[in-house]
Amino acid sequence: MPVKVDWSWLVILALVFFSLATGLFPSAYPALSTLTCFLMAAAATLLFFASVLVHELSHTLRSLREGVPVRDITLWLFGGVSRAEEPLPGPGAEFRVVIAGPLASAALAVVFLAVAAAGHALGLSDAWTGVPDYLARINGLLLVFNIVPALPLDGGRLLHALIWHRTGDTATATIYAAWAGRAFAVVLVTLGVASLFGAYGYGGIWFVLIGWFLWQAVRQEEGEARTARALAGLRVKDVMTPAAVTVDVGSTIEEFGDLIVRTPSYPAYPVLDQGRFVGLLLLRRAGVVPMEERRSVRVGDVMLTGEDVPVVHEDDEVTTAARTLGREPGRAIVLSDGAGREVVGLVSTSDLSRAVATPPRGRARPRAHRAGDGTS
């Protein structure tokens, strides 16, 4: 499971380091040398990074115990985001997964507080006790901030789980929790603007930035929830683009060009080998083959192989296809659920967008064409 680092997280780490090295530690411990303050800042920054990672790993481990694998973890401005392979099975599971993070932060705050207290009791210098003192406070602050009941914070997800439990509808829960997230974002921006003209001065910019980022994150989550609601009950076959044209893996690019002149044009074409799906030919890939080579270059030479193309089935729920395309953006091949497992269509993010606006049902499927087999 990879851990990804967003650029915003690197900015936060740099700001934490320099604020500690040149601000907090020198002012709190004026007797310490500049080098000591910088070393303390480096240690505190690394342990802060580790604390956030422990928080996210707590979510991940609990998710695994609930039977839901996690695809990756991304560290960003507000800490981290664990991206699951599939939705959690219910509000109880969501509550347990979400609460694991704040509990980990609380435990870290207690541990660092105990370490700092032990250091003071042993008479250690500020150079040794300053870092755990800071980490105890920062983990406590992160805990308090994170449990605010506003998406996308952990508190907002706990609120989501409670509303989901009450209503039985995860989309409704997201929309209500998003309102709380928007309200919190507005409060932060308002405080930030007020602070700019008060004693806090330019420090208020932080509140404005955090509020703005929260607003954007909430907007995205609410949009996804409304999309899921619009797609509820639809099957992939209701929204897909039928595979009106397929291409034989042994066809030349010239033969493929002759085919698309006589048939409707699509951005991608399923590739078959004796009726079996083996890949996807993107029109732009075929287009870059030089004219003088199109009689010798075959479809199989330039196609995306089947392993590189996500696959869904015609009777899958559209939300399944949406999750698949979310992991692997672009388009997915749609296979039939019959014994032949034949290619019956393609589904893309554009198809899903159209379905949200006007869910299509019962599309008529045009007659199939295939390059290289004489069918027309």
Side-chain angles (χ1 to χ4, degrees):
M1 177 190 58
V3 177
K4 302 177 181 178
V5 178
D6 185 75
W7 66 268
S8 60
W9 179 244
L10 297 177
V11 172
I12 290 297
L13 286 184
L15 289 173
V16 168
F17 172 76
F18 283 107
S19 65
L20 292 176
T22 62
L24 179 62
F25 287 155
S27 61
Y29 312 112
L32 297 179
S33 68
T34 300
L35 177 60
T36 300
C37 288
F38 268 77
L39 291 174
M40 289 172 64
T45 301
L46 290 175
L47 288 171
F48 171 67
F49 176 93
S51 297
V52 174
L53 190 56
V54 167
H55 177 106
E56 287 306 315
L57 287 174
S58 299
H59 288 309
T60 298
L61 292 174
R62 185 67 236 188
S63 181
L64 292 174
R65 291 191 64 182
E66 298 291 340
V68 178
V70 173
R71 186 175 182 83
D72 55 44
I73 294 174
T74 300
L75 299 178
W76 71 303
L77 179 66
F78 295 113
V81 176
S82 300
R83 192 167 57 148
E85 293 280 4
E86 58 191 62
L88 290 163
E94 181 178 43
F95 188 92
R96 292 187 292 272
V97 169
V98 173
I99 199 65
L103 289 177
S105 293
L108 287 170
V110 171
V111 168
F112 285 122
L113 185 62
V115 171
H120 289 302
L122 293 172
L124 298 180
S125 70
D126 292 335
W128 292 100
T129 60
V131 171
D133 265 334
Y134 165 76
L135 291 167
R137 283 182 278 124
I138 196 64
N139 275 287
L141 287 173
L142 286 175
L143 170 64
V144 172
F145 180 74
N146 245 319
I147 61 175
V148 172
L151 281 179
L153 305 176
D154 285 342
R157 303 202 183 283
L158 293 174
L159 177 63
H160 176 275
L162 293 173
I163 299 174
W164 184 8
H165 175 73
R166 184 71 178 266
T167 65
D169 182 12
T170 182
T172 297
T174 300
I175 292 169
Y176 280 122
W179 289 349
R182 280 204 174 99
F184 185 53
V186 169
V187 169
L188 288 176
V189 171
T190 303
L191 287 174
V193 172
S195 297
L196 288 173
F197 301 98
Y200 199 49
Y202 289 108
I205 293 175
W206 278 108
F207 288 101
V208 174
L209 288 175
I210 292 173
W212 182 80
F213 272 104
L214 281 175
W215 183 279
Q216 295 301 316
V218 167
R219 181 182 177 185
Q220 179 179 346
E221 290 207 26
E222 184 180 8
E224 291 172 354
R226 293 188 183 278
T227 297
R229 172 179 282 179
L231 298 177
L234 288 176
R235 301 288 175 180
V236 170
K237 62 186 176 185
D238 297 324
V239 304
M240 71 182 186
T241 299
V245 182
T246 59
V247 187
D248 190 87
V249 68
S251 300
T252 65
I253 298 301
E254 184 178 65
E255 290 172 331
F256 169 69
D258 292 339
L259 173 73
I260 62 175
V261 168
R262 297 182 283 107
T263 59
S265 179
Y266 299 96
Y269 297 81
V271 180
L272 307 181
D273 183 5
Q274 297 181 347
R276 182 175 57 89
F277 168 69
V278 293
L280 187 69
L281 178 62
L282 302 181
L283 185 60
R284 57 181 173 80
R285 279 199 170 195
V288 299
V289 177
M291 291 293 296
E292 63 273 13
E293 297 179 15
R294 293 187 178 185
R295 288 189 176 184
S296 58
V297 175
R298 300 195 176 275
V299 167
D301 299 328
V302 296
M303 71 179 186
L304 295 174
T305 62
E307 293 78 12
D308 297 325
V309 182
V311 172
V312 295
H313 298 275
E314 61 179 346
D315 284 327
D316 286 347
E317 293 185 358
V318 170
T319 49
T320 299
R323 287 195 298 272
T324 299
L325 292 172
R327 293 194 298 266
E328 302 179 62
R331 52 185 51 83
I333 287 289
V334 182
L335 299 182
S336 72
D337 287 322
R341 296 290 185 179
E342 64 181 22
V343 175
V344 294
L346 292 169
V347 63
S348 67
T349 50
S350 298
D351 293 320
L352 300 185
S353 297
R354 284 193 296 270
V356 171
T358 52
R361 297 182 184 275
R363 288 184 182 178
R365 298 183 183 179
R367 191 160 54 94
H369 301 269
R370 183 180 300 169
D373 66 354
T375 303
S376 62

